[in-house]
Amino acid sequence: MKVSFPYMGSAIVYKKLFEFLEHEVIMPPKPTQRTMDLGVKYSPEFACIPLKMVMGTYLEAIEKGAKVLVTSGGHGPCRAGFYGDTHRNILKSLGYDDIELIIFDAPQDSWRAFFRNVQKIRNGVPWHKVINRMYTLYRFVQKLDELEKMVQKIRPYEVNKGQTTQVWNQIQERFDKIKTRKELYKVYEECKQLLFSIPTRKVDEKDRIRVGIVGEIYVVMESSINFGIEEILGNLGVEVERSLYLFEWINDNLVPWILRPKRFKEIIKKGQRYIKILIGGHAVETVGHIIDFKERGFDGIVHLMPFACLPELVTQSLIPKISKEVDIPILSLPIDEQTGKANMLTRIEAFIDLLKNRKRGKTKEVFIDNIQEHVQEERVVMV
């Protein structure tokens, strides 16, 4: 089958999944303004930016010859759970009746539906090979995430600007060529040495700024949507850590609750101090990670959210209270197709200046950004 998929983080993971299942992989182009324009053109106006960007990605993948599109779904009272059906209907309305869209919802919602989809993409590969290759992929994701976390800690202190990003691109290229578990561990160790070889400057602990990035999974993990915010912060001398990484997302969604990592349960418990009912998306996790980042000594939080994302709007309404109670500055950044990079960069730079002043004891302000004020400034109303 000619299989493709949307971007969310490092796309080589999804490419490797379908290569292991012996499919012909159609790599979609990295999302660009054209991708967004296509998505906006054919998507409902009220839909959030993940639906629109994914829609544009599907259309570009189809242009390259894809016949099967594979994606994940949503769960709980979040509109993401309807996006798969919305995409399917849009594709049919455009005449793509021969395109199959396979949506993997959380297996806990229906193990039968989950394994039915597994059977569809297994492509006749014997089960013993599937299990072995999926375990290799599982470790592949783990090692790639570990290297990415190292990148986020090294980039702020690099002597030669841009070198860490160049090495990270080389690492992804090398991981793309991995075929076996033995090769994976060898390449992983070599890539660690590549990162350790990057010249860095020494910075006193009192001058180090660490920021946690939280929010809806797609805008947190996909750099084409969030304007490469991790690199922006790194270039400003800020260490970054996300609330969501692909390896952790796999553990949180594919592993039964009783077997899930203790840390995941602790994050949920912390978030439930403020959100006591299921509201969908990653709202509870967002709040839990804000508290966790504060307890781990982080200096500030950047909260990313698709404009009009219902779960994250609930989180955003709680941020003033959380920020004051746990004493940590939080910057909320809503993102949609009209968001401007220059505006975002200005707000991030001001936020980092405040964090530095707090660190030096020049201010105790927690800085709660007025989301609606900035959104209204950015939006252009078409009459």
Side-chain angles (χ1 to χ4, degrees):
M1 293 191 295
K2 293 184 177 180
V3 178
S4 193
F5 43 82
Y7 277 76
M8 189 178 75
S10 186
I12 60 172
V13 171
Y14 317 118
K15 179 173 181 281
K16 192 62 61 179
L17 165 64
F18 295 112
E19 285 179 346
F20 280 167
L21 295 175
E22 301 176 11
H23 290 284
E24 180 181 348
V25 180
I26 306 297
M27 277 296 292
K30 185 71 175 173
T32 62
Q33 186 60 48
R34 178 179 185 270
T35 315
M36 177 60 71
D37 291 342
L38 280 172
V40 169
K41 181 177 180 180
Y42 296 110
S43 301
E45 182 181 2
F46 63 83
C48 64
I49 194 169
L51 181 143
K52 296 172 182 176
M53 186 64 91
V54 171
M55 186 72 250
T57 300
Y58 287 160
L59 294 173
E60 290 186 326
I62 291 170
E63 289 175 354
K64 294 185 68 176
K67 295 298 182 182
V68 179
L69 305 170
V70 183
T71 187
S72 61
H75 64 92
C78 169
R79 290 179 297 179
F82 297 99
Y83 284 176
D85 290 330
T86 303
H87 286 141
R88 188 179 284 117
N89 291 335
I90 293 172
L91 290 173
K92 286 185 178 180
S93 73
L94 295 174
Y96 296 115
D97 297 315
D98 60 333
I99 301 298
E100 183 177 10
L101 180 58
I102 300 175
I103 305 164
F104 277 87
D105 290 312
Q108 292 82 1
D109 293 345
S110 173
W111 284 99
R112 180 177 296 181
F114 180 81
F115 282 112
R116 187 164 56 243
N117 283 336
V118 170
Q119 188 64 23
K120 286 182 181 179
I121 68 169
R122 186 168 67 91
N123 200 30
V125 177
W127 278 108
H128 70 279
K129 289 186 177 180
V130 171
I131 294 171
N132 181 60
R133 292 173 184 178
M134 290 306 101
Y135 180 72
T136 300
L137 183 67
Y138 181 76
R139 293 304 176 195
F140 180 99
V141 178
Q142 180 188 31
K143 297 303 181 184
L144 191 62
D145 278 358
E146 288 176 4
L147 292 169
E148 186 175 15
K149 290 178 181 179
M150 291 175 61
V151 166
Q152 293 164 342
K153 292 183 178 180
I154 293 172
R155 184 184 282 125
Y157 313 116
E158 62 187 4
V159 173
N160 305 309
K161 284 296 181 184
Q163 184 177 2
T164 309
T165 300
Q166 291 176 1
V167 171
W168 172 235
N169 291 334
Q170 293 172 17
I171 287 172
Q172 293 180 87
E173 290 174 3
R174 296 191 64 175
F175 264 66
D176 190 27
K177 298 175 182 178
I178 290 172
K179 304 294 183 184
T180 65
R181 202 147 57 239
K182 181 178 180 181
E183 188 179 358
L184 167 65
Y185 296 135
K186 179 176 181 291
V187 171
Y188 169 71
E189 292 300 328
E190 291 172 350
C191 289
K192 277 206 304 185
Q193 294 308 311
L194 276 177
L195 289 172
F196 289 145
S197 68
I198 296 174
T200 56
R201 54 191 173 83
K202 291 185 178 180
V203 178
D204 290 338
E205 182 61 33
K206 63 180 178 62
D207 295 322
R208 290 175 181 258
I209 301 295
R210 296 198 297 163
V211 167
I213 299 177
V214 303
E216 190 271 336
I217 186 171
Y218 190 77
V219 295
V220 167
M221 292 186 60
E222 181 46 49
S223 61
S224 63
I225 286 285
N226 62 36
F227 301 98
I229 192 169
E230 294 171 34
E231 190 171 349
I232 289 173
L233 289 167
N235 290 336
L236 291 172
V238 177
E239 290 184 38
V240 173
E241 184 176 322
R242 299 195 306 263
S243 60
L244 293 161
Y245 291 86
L246 192 55
F247 183 70
E248 295 165 359
W249 181 86
I250 291 172
N251 284 331
D252 296 345
N253 285 273
L254 300 184
V255 177
W257 176 266
I258 193 171
L259 299 177
R260 291 187 190 181
K262 181 181 178 182
R263 174 169 166 73
F264 173 79
K265 296 178 180 179
E266 291 174 347
I267 295 295
I268 295 297
K269 187 176 180 180
K270 291 173 183 177
Q272 288 174 339
R273 286 163 47 184
Y274 292 90
I275 302 177
K276 302 184 184 300
I277 61 173
L278 177 65
I279 62 173
H282 294 86
V284 175
E285 290 94 324
T286 293
V287 173
H289 277 289
I290 290 174
I291 298 170
D292 184 68
F293 279 133
K294 170 62 180 178
E295 292 174 350
R296 291 167 53 203
F298 278 64
D299 301 291
I301 303 292
V302 172
H303 172 226
L304 301 177
M305 55 180 284
F307 181 79
C309 171
L310 298 180
E312 294 302 330
L313 278 172
V314 173
T315 301
Q316 196 275 332
S317 69
L318 291 168
I319 279 179
K321 179 180 179 180
I322 299 170
S323 181
K324 290 178 181 177
E325 289 186 359
V326 304
D327 188 33
I328 189 167
I330 304 174
L331 172 66
S332 283
L333 296 173
I335 299 174
D336 71 358
E337 64 271 20
Q338 298 185 47
T339 302
K341 184 175 181 178
N343 178 279
M344 177 180 284
L345 182 59
T346 300
R347 294 165 66 187
I348 290 172
E349 289 174 340
F351 183 65
I352 299 308
D353 284 342
L354 177 127
L355 297 185
K356 290 178 179 178
N357 287 333
R358 273 177 57 94
K359 193 99 174 184
R360 296 165 185 160
K362 295 182 179 180
T363 180
K364 294 184 179 180
E365 185 179 353
V366 293
F367 190 90
I368 303 168
D369 195 41
N370 188 329
I371 181 175
Q372 294 300 329
E373 177 183 332
H374 289 288
V375 171
Q376 289 169 5
E377 288 176 358
E378 283 188 2
R379 287 191 167 279
V380 177
V381 180
M382 305 299 293
V383 180

